[in-house]
């Protein structure tokens, strides 16, 4: 009897030594688990068993099995938490259903790892206490190998993830250089799509950018109309994080049905500027956290490049506008007289300062012949190229009609008709012009809706208002009227645009017509140049610290 026990103990010891050598010869977890089962099968003459280990979520899942078909294994209860598995009836019912002979916990240095389950023995014998002790011993030996194998697998997975990260970082680095060199958003869209397709292996995808709260597709392999309607329906513009999995299924089911598997916003400074929308992967794999991070990173590179493209286009447009404004400025400057004709009987001073690079004010002094000088001042609606071209038209018409020697009122009728034919709706000109006759020192004028010039005589002010409506609104229906006044020695004429009377102080107060009239009366004994200098000085002092809101133009005519 003692020899039999001795032989059994020796056999068990030999089996344990062989088992220890075997499972420690490999660091493959499947090899370790399968040999743990096979050793038990050989010792206890059973043909069925499995090992269930705790996964990353803490639930038991079958990791190795022998003798059970897949139909039986599929019945293994889901979501059996490893921490309290023994208290869950579903597992007990499963073990009873498969007629498990014994089940034991697998405890490693890290704590509970899983369970070993063996089926009935072929001879229908129960497992004895010695059998249980042997199972405990073999599990204790195998536990270290299992832990080492799992650790190695985890290291391998980490290394794979690191390799994938390194590859993605390398790709992102290369792509960042590619994106930075592209200034066309269409090309950015194609590079973005090719980069994602190469990594994710998808056949359905779309890339949208957002501008003025509207969606604009760069690439789209879905049904365009359907996708855009659903994007609006689910207000995708407002999402701040990637949408996938159950969230997509529960909150945006129609997009899920369309084949969308992943939506990633492309953000710039916390604001959504576009979206990357991906369908199923050709491999059937789900999008991992690493995949989503990769797509998000590429999307960030792309949206920065698209924003740079937009800024580049804006810069080009600004340069074009600057060029147009410079052209308009040159046109405007060339329209103003290069020199002011003078006469021993009159002195003329002129001033023009635009509020912007190109203004809408115009003045002119033209010597018609030895006895006649034309003076004119105008304020064109609008600014920029359009205003400067309208002024150019006005000047051309003015010089052309002057050569016809028409009465000034009839000439104004023609100027209005010509300007009306060549302006768009909403454009107009306030215009004052007159002809000084040196022979009898008279001024014949027409005021077409302009600020009435001031005639200052002996400290008294007369406003020159006779004329008609502003120029360019419509063809002449009511003819313009003219007036003729005699000019006397020491008379002063002040022609100005509303940029003077409406000049604003830093406190928001207007310079006003009243102030202009008062200081004009006080300067009436000055020469035209002195008058202009004092007037501009007063305006500058009044508006000091405030931005110039309108063009400032003035003509001072002094009768000697």
């Amino acid at each position: 009897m003692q020899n039999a026990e001795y032989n059994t103990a020796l056999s068990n010891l030999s089996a344990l030594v062989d088992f220890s050598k075997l499972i420690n010869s490999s660091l493959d977890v499947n090899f370790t688990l399968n040999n743990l089962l096979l050793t038990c099968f050989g010792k206890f003459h059973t043909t069925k068993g499995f090992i269930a280990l705790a996964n990353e979520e803490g639930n038991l899942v079958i990791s190795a099995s022998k003798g059970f078909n897949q139909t039986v294994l599929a019945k293994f209860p889901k979501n059996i938490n490893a921490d309290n598995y023994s208290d869950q009836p579903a597992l007990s019912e499963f073990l009873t259903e498969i007629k498990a002979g014994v089940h034991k916990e697998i405890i490693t240095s890290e704590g509970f790892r899983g369970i070993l389950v063996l089926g009935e023995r072929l001879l229908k014998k129960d497992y004895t206490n010695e059998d249980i002790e042997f199972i405990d011993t073999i599990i204790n030996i195998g536990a270290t190998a299992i832990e080492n194998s799992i650790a190695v697998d985890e290291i391998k997975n980490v290394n794979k993830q690191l390799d994938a990260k390194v590859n993605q970082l390398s790709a992102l680095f290369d792509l960042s250089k590619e994106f930075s060199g592209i200034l066309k958003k269409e090309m950015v869209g194609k590079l973005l799509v090719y980069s994602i397709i190469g990594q994710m292996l998808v056949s359905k995808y779309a890339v949208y950018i957002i501008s003025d709260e509207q969606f604009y597709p760069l690439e789209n392999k879905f049904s365009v109309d359907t996708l855009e309607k659903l994007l609006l329906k689910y207000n995708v513009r407002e999402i701040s994080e990637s949408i996938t999995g159950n969230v997509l299924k529960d909150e945006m089911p129609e997009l899920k049905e369309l084949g969308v598997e992943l939506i990633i916003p492309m953000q710039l400074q916390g604001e959504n500027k576009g979206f990357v929308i991906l369908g199923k992967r050709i491999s059937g794999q789900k999008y991992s956290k690493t995949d989503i991070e990769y797509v998000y990173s590429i999307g960030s590179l792309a949206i920065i490049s698209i924003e740079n493209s937009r800024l580049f286009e804006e810069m080009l447009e600004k340069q074009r506008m600057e060029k147009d404004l410079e052209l308009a400025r040159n046109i405007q400057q060339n329209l103003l007289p290069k020199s002011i004709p003078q006469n021993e009987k009159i002195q003329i001073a002129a001033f023009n300062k635009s509020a912007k690079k190109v203004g809408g004010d115009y003045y002119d002094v033209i010597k018609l012949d030895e006895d006649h000088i034309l003076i004119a001042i105008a304020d064109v609606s609008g600014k920029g190229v359009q205003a400067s071209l309208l002024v150019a038209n006005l000047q051309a018409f003015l010089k052309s009609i002057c050569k016809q020697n028409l009465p000034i009122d009839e000439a104004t009728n023609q100027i209005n008709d010509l300007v009306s034919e060549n302006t768009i709706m909403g454009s107009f000109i306030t215009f004052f012009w007159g002809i000084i006759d040196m022979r009898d020192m008279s001024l014949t004028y027409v005021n077409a809706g302009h600020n009435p010039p001031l005639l200052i005589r002996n400290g008294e002010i007369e406003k020159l208002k006779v004329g008609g409506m502003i120029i360019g609104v419509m063809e002449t229906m009511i003819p313009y009227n003219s007036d003729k006044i005699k000019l006397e020695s020491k008379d002063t004429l002040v022609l100005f645009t509303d940029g003077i009377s409406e000049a604003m102080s830093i406190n928001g107060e207007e310079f006003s017509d009243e102030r202009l009239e008062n200081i004009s009366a006080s300067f009436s004994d000055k020469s035209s140049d002195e008058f202009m200098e004092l007037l501009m000085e007063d305006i500058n002092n009044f508006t000091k610290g405030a931005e110039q809101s309108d063009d400032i133009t003035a003509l001072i005519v002094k009768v000697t």
Side-chain angles (χ1 to χ4, degrees):
M1 183 68 177
Q2 289 180 348
N3 286 337
E5 291 177 354
Y6 174 78
N7 289 335
T8 298
L10 186 62
S11 175
N12 287 345
L13 180 60
S14 176
L16 291 172
V17 170
D18 291 341
F19 173 72
S20 178
K21 290 180 180 180
L22 180 64
I23 63 171
N24 284 298
S25 66
S26 173
L27 289 173
D28 180 79
V29 66
N30 291 323
F31 177 85
T32 301
L33 298 179
N34 286 327
N35 278 285
L36 179 56
L37 286 174
L38 291 173
T39 299
C40 291
F41 286 4
K43 176 66 179 175
F44 303 119
H45 306 292
T46 182
T47 59
K48 293 182 179 181
F50 67 84
I51 296 174
L53 299 180
N55 62 13
E56 293 181 355
E57 288 75 31
N59 296 325
L60 289 176
V61 293
I62 295 177
S63 302
S65 66
K66 299 288 183 184
F68 291 107
N69 60 44
Q70 292 300 316
T71 304
V72 174
L73 295 176
K75 295 180 181 180
F76 186 79
K78 303 290 189 282
N79 302 321
I80 297 296
N81 190 273
D83 293 335
N84 58 353
Y85 79 95
S86 59
D87 297 331
Q88 300 186 46
L91 181 59
S92 299
E93 292 172 3
F94 176 76
L95 295 177
T96 301
E97 182 180 347
I98 65 173
K99 298 179 180 180
V102 65
H103 69 276
K104 298 293 291 180
E105 293 183 348
I106 300 174
I107 306 295
T108 71
S109 59
E110 298 296 323
F112 178 81
R113 269 294 185 181
I115 57 173
L116 166 69
V117 177
L118 298 175
E120 292 181 318
R121 303 173 72 169
L122 292 176
L123 299 178
K124 305 298 182 181
K125 292 182 179 180
D126 292 334
Y127 289 88
T128 66
N129 290 334
E130 291 180 356
D131 296 336
I132 300 300
E133 289 178 0
F134 182 85
I135 293 172
D136 288 339
T137 303
I138 203 171
I139 286 176
N140 288 336
I141 294 172
T144 301
I146 291 172
E147 192 63 50
N148 290 338
S149 299
I150 291 174
V152 168
D153 273 358
E154 289 177 349
I155 291 172
K156 286 180 179 178
N157 288 333
V158 169
N159 284 336
K160 286 180 181 178
Q161 293 175 3
L162 286 174
D163 287 342
K165 281 285 188 184
V166 169
N167 290 334
Q168 289 182 357
L169 286 173
S170 177
L172 287 172
F173 179 74
D174 292 337
L175 286 169
S176 68
K177 293 188 288 186
E178 293 289 338
F179 278 120
S180 64
I182 299 176
L183 290 174
K184 290 187 177 180
K185 58 179 176 290
E186 294 78 12
M187 294 299 296
V188 173
K190 291 188 181 297
L191 179 59
L192 172 61
V193 166
Y194 293 153
S195 303
I196 293 174
I197 290 175
Q199 286 285 336
M200 303 293 113
L201 297 178
V202 294
S203 58
K204 273 192 170 185
Y205 50 82
V207 177
Y208 277 81
I209 58 174
I210 299 173
S211 179
D212 298 326
E213 299 188 351
Q214 298 294 320
F215 293 107
Y216 296 96
L218 291 182
E219 296 284 337
N220 191 352
K221 295 298 181 181
F222 293 93
S223 171
V224 176
D225 292 339
T226 304
L227 179 60
E228 291 184 0
K229 287 178 182 177
L230 294 177
L231 292 176
L232 292 171
K233 176 180 178 180
Y234 292 116
N235 199 20
V236 176
R237 186 171 54 246
E238 300 298 325
I239 70 171
S240 57
E241 298 178 350
S242 59
I243 304 292
T244 188
N246 291 331
V247 176
L248 186 64
K249 182 179 179 181
D250 295 340
E251 298 182 7
M252 304 176 182
E254 291 177 83
L255 280 172
K256 182 76 173 177
E257 291 173 7
L258 188 63
V260 174
E261 290 290 322
L262 176 64
I263 303 175
I264 293 182
M266 294 190 290
Q267 296 182 321
L268 193 63
Q269 297 180 340
E271 182 181 355
N272 286 347
K273 295 291 186 177
F275 294 92
V276 177
I277 302 170
L278 302 180
K280 293 181 179 179
R281 304 176 73 170
I282 296 173
S283 63
Q285 292 178 304
K286 299 294 184 182
Y287 291 101
S288 66
K289 182 180 179 181
T290 301
D291 295 331
I292 293 172
E293 289 175 351
Y294 176 74
V295 177
Y296 188 89
S297 298
I298 294 182
S300 296
L301 290 174
I303 204 62
I304 290 173
S305 185
I306 289 171
E307 186 67 9
N308 288 339
S309 171
R310 183 186 67 80
L311 293 174
F312 180 69
E313 289 177 358
E314 286 184 357
M315 182 188 71
L316 291 180
E317 181 62 25
K318 184 178 179 181
Q319 288 177 347
R320 285 192 290 268
M321 290 178 64
E322 288 288 340
K323 191 174 181 180
D324 288 344
L325 288 174
E326 188 61 34
L327 173 63
R329 180 176 176 81
N330 291 335
I331 292 173
Q332 186 182 51
Q333 291 300 314
N334 288 331
L335 294 177
L336 300 178
K338 299 293 187 295
S339 61
I340 303 295
Q342 301 294 339
N343 187 284
E344 68 275 5
K345 296 182 179 180
I346 60 171
Q347 301 170 349
I348 302 176
F351 180 87
N352 172 260
K353 182 181 179 182
S354 299
K356 306 298 181 183
K357 193 166 187 178
V358 178
D361 282 4
Y362 162 70
Y363 74 89
D364 216 337
V365 181
I366 304 171
K367 185 176 181 180
L368 300 177
D369 55 42
E370 292 300 325
D371 298 320
H372 298 88
I373 292 179
L374 181 150
I375 57 173
I377 191 167
D379 188 352
V380 179
S381 64
K383 299 288 184 288
V385 177
Q386 178 184 333
S388 66
L389 291 176
L390 192 52
V391 168
N393 281 341
L394 174 62
Q395 187 196 56
F397 298 149
L398 182 64
K399 289 187 175 182
S400 175
I401 289 174
C402 284
K403 294 178 181 180
Q404 299 179 26
N405 294 318
L406 294 173
I408 193 170
D409 50 357
E410 293 183 22
T412 308
N413 294 338
Q414 288 199 21
I415 290 173
N416 178 59
D417 292 342
L418 290 169
V419 171
S420 298
E421 291 176 6
N422 290 273
T423 58
I424 59 174
M425 183 67 68
S427 296
F428 59 86
I429 305 171
T430 66
F431 179 54
F432 175 94
W433 69 311
I435 298 174
I436 300 174
D437 188 334
M438 300 298 176
R439 293 170 303 181
D440 61 358
M441 289 307 296
S442 63
L443 170 69
T444 305
Y445 74 89
V446 172
N447 188 337
H450 195 75
N451 301 79
L454 308 178
L455 172 61
I456 307 170
R457 178 179 295 162
N458 300 322
E460 299 294 326
I461 295 177
E462 179 184 349
K463 296 182 180 181
L464 309 184
K465 300 179 179 180
V466 177
M469 67 177 184
I470 55 180
I471 287 176
V473 176
M474 64 179 69
E475 291 186 6
T476 305
M477 304 293 291
I478 301 175
Y480 288 88
N481 295 317
S482 64
D483 191 14
K484 183 176 181 178
I485 60 174
K486 293 286 291 183
L487 297 176
E488 298 178 3
S489 178
K490 302 188 183 303
D491 281 357
T492 303
L493 279 172
V494 181
L495 286 67
F496 62 95
T497 59
D498 57 11
I500 291 179
S501 57
E502 295 177 4
M504 302 293 287
S505 72
I506 195 170
N507 297 319
E509 298 173 343
E510 280 192 356
F511 191 79
S512 78
D513 289 312
E514 183 180 0
R515 183 185 179 100
L516 175 60
E517 292 169 15
N518 290 335
I519 64 171
S520 295
S522 66
F523 298 156
S524 61
D525 60 337
K526 307 295 183 182
S527 69
S528 59
D529 289 335
E530 290 175 325
F531 191 120
M532 184 69 76
E533 184 178 348
L534 291 170
L535 174 61
M536 291 305 125
E537 182 180 345
D538 193 73
I539 293 171
N540 289 335
N541 290 335
F542 182 82
T543 60
K544 188 175 182 179
E547 183 180 359
Q548 184 181 340
S549 57
D550 198 0
D551 307 326
I552 293 176
T553 304
L555 272 176
I556 307 296
V557 180
K558 180 75 175 182
V559 181
T560 58

